Amino acid sequence: NQLLFEFGPTPGVTAVMLYSTLASGGAGGAPLDNQKFTTGLIFEKIPTQPIKVSVTRVGYTAHGPWQIQWQAPAAPAGVIVGATNTPAPTAFVEATPTPALRDSLLFEVQTLAQKFDAPLQHGPGWIHFLTETETNPRTGQTFPPPYITTEQWLEIDADGYILRSVHTDRDKAGNTLQQVVTIGNYYTNLLTGDAGHNDGGRNRFSTDMLTRDLSAVAQYNTPVLRDEVPCEDGSACLLITMLDSFANPVTNPGEAQAFSGGGRRTWINLQTGQQVKIQYFWGLQDGSERIDYTYKPVLVEKVNAPPQEILDILAKVVVP
């Protein structure tokens, strides 16, 4: 159900976006080895009559000795100008873990994450991963909606590296917000028509969303706290909290209170090793918190094959 157009080499031109009133979407590709490039139009059913196709966008590379001359305007009177306009983090009211304790905590988190991921990464197959995200929209924010479910079907090889995937976001009513297909390092968004190539690196499936950030905060001396608390289901959880306090409160447009800091909490089931809940929040001046968004996995399972619907979606994508 797709018409694919191949364009001959054109100096500087790297992509073309096409449009037709009869098309339901589009797909593009990076330049081929012979400097040709492709773009497509997707239809519910291939037209049998002549249709009008318009070129709506052209991507190109412009070469030249580009120079940008710009100077920041003077700060308003009474404003103290520092080295950066980003509020500097200050020490948290609690004790900051020593480097030795940080290393111990990082090892503990890595061990728990691997405990949960290892059975999923071993051997070829398909992983069905379903998550939900609840967002507290700020003033004027229209996207994302307050509630999103994300369903992923990922094909992995014998070592757990992702070969193909279908990523679908839906709102509370079940309407599809976006659907992205990835084959190797090529991706295409079936709803927007965006397409291209990723960095080319192989990605191994993992549910771990904490280890990398926990490693990064060490260089910024961000306070990290460790607690053992009950999970929502009553089982034992490890709670990791990372929190930055601002030297000066920050007031966003339309907000009633200024933010005095921000942080993240991650709950890890001590028995299974799964990171069962992640929450980002802002600290307000009155000592209360504003939850920015909460992310939770709903289902993680490994199966031999996905539904036929997923295979049909993958079959529609032609990699340039």
Side-chain angles (χ1 to χ4, degrees):
N1 63 341
Q2 180 177 199
L3 292 179
L4 193 65
F5 298 80
E6 182 177 287
F7 291 80
T10 305
V13 177
T14 59
V16 169
M17 182 177 291
L18 303 178
Y19 172 77
S20 170
T21 56
L22 298 178
S24 59
L32 306 176
D33 291 340
N34 57 7
Q35 298 306 307
K36 295 182 179 180
F37 53 89
T38 61
T39 186
L41 289 174
I42 301 172
F43 300 87
E44 293 295 333
K45 185 179 180 181
I46 293 293
T48 57
Q49 300 296 325
I51 63 172
K52 180 179 179 180
V53 177
S54 303
V55 175
T56 60
R57 186 177 300 176
V58 176
Y60 65 93
T61 300
H63 300 277
W66 306 114
Q67 293 182 346
I68 298 177
Q69 296 180 350
W70 178 82
Q71 183 175 358
V79 175
I80 300 175
V81 181
T84 174
N85 62 355
T86 302
T90 58
F92 185 46
V93 293
E94 300 288 345
T96 301
T98 64
L101 291 176
R102 283 186 186 276
D103 292 344
S104 175
L105 180 59
L106 178 59
F107 178 76
E108 181 180 19
V109 170
Q110 287 176 322
T111 302
L112 287 169
Q114 186 58 25
K115 178 180 181 180
F116 184 79
D117 285 345
L120 299 169
Q121 295 171 339
H122 180 66
W126 288 82
I127 295 175
H128 184 206
F129 192 21
L130 184 64
T131 62
E132 62 180 14
T133 304
E134 296 184 49
T135 304
N136 186 4
R138 300 180 185 178
T139 303
Q141 179 179 331
T142 59
F143 190 88
Y147 180 86
I148 287 180
T149 60
T150 299
E151 183 177 29
Q152 297 183 72
W153 286 94
L154 308 106
E155 183 183 19
I156 62 172
D157 63 15
D159 297 317
Y161 288 93
I162 300 172
L163 301 172
R164 300 185 293 173
S165 67
V166 177
H167 174 120
T168 307
D169 289 333
R170 299 183 178 90
D171 62 15
K172 197 165 189 176
N175 300 309
T176 300
L177 301 176
Q178 71 168 343
Q179 189 167 64
V180 179
V181 176
T182 303
I183 300 177
N185 73 331
Y186 177 78
Y187 72 90
T188 180
N189 189 316
L190 299 184
L191 266 69
T192 66
D194 296 335
H197 287 80
N198 295 314
D199 57 13
R202 301 176 67 208
N203 295 314
R204 199 177 193 197
F205 174 78
S206 176
T207 61
D208 183 12
M209 298 181 63
L210 179 60
T211 296
R212 181 180 299 178
D213 289 346
L214 199 57
S215 300
V217 298
Q219 59 183 310
Y220 299 109
N221 203 32
T222 301
V224 180
L225 304 177
R226 179 194 185 281
D227 294 294
E228 292 189 19
V229 299
C231 298
E232 291 183 351
D233 63 0
S235 56
C237 255
L238 176 64
L239 173 60
I240 305 298
T241 304
M242 296 180 284
L243 177 65
D244 270 337
S245 297
F246 299 157
N248 299 301
V250 178
T251 303
N252 289 330
E255 298 289 347
Q257 287 196 61
F259 296 103
S260 58
R264 162 181 169 174
R265 299 186 182 98
T266 303
W267 286 261
I268 308 172
N269 187 302
L270 284 169
Q271 181 177 359
T272 65
Q274 183 182 18
Q275 296 173 15
V276 295
K277 183 178 177 180
I278 299 173
Q279 190 176 77
Y280 288 81
F281 62 92
W282 294 101
L284 304 179
Q285 277 189 300
D286 64 1
S288 62
E289 293 180 358
R290 171 194 169 99
I291 305 302
D292 200 27
Y293 71 88
T294 303
Y295 165 94
K296 293 192 295 185
V298 178
L299 173 69
V300 187
E301 62 177 351
K302 189 171 183 181
V303 297
N304 292 327
Q308 185 60 43
E309 174 190 0
I310 299 301
L311 296 175
D312 291 343
I313 292 173
L314 288 165
K316 294 179 181 180
V317 178
V318 178
V319 179

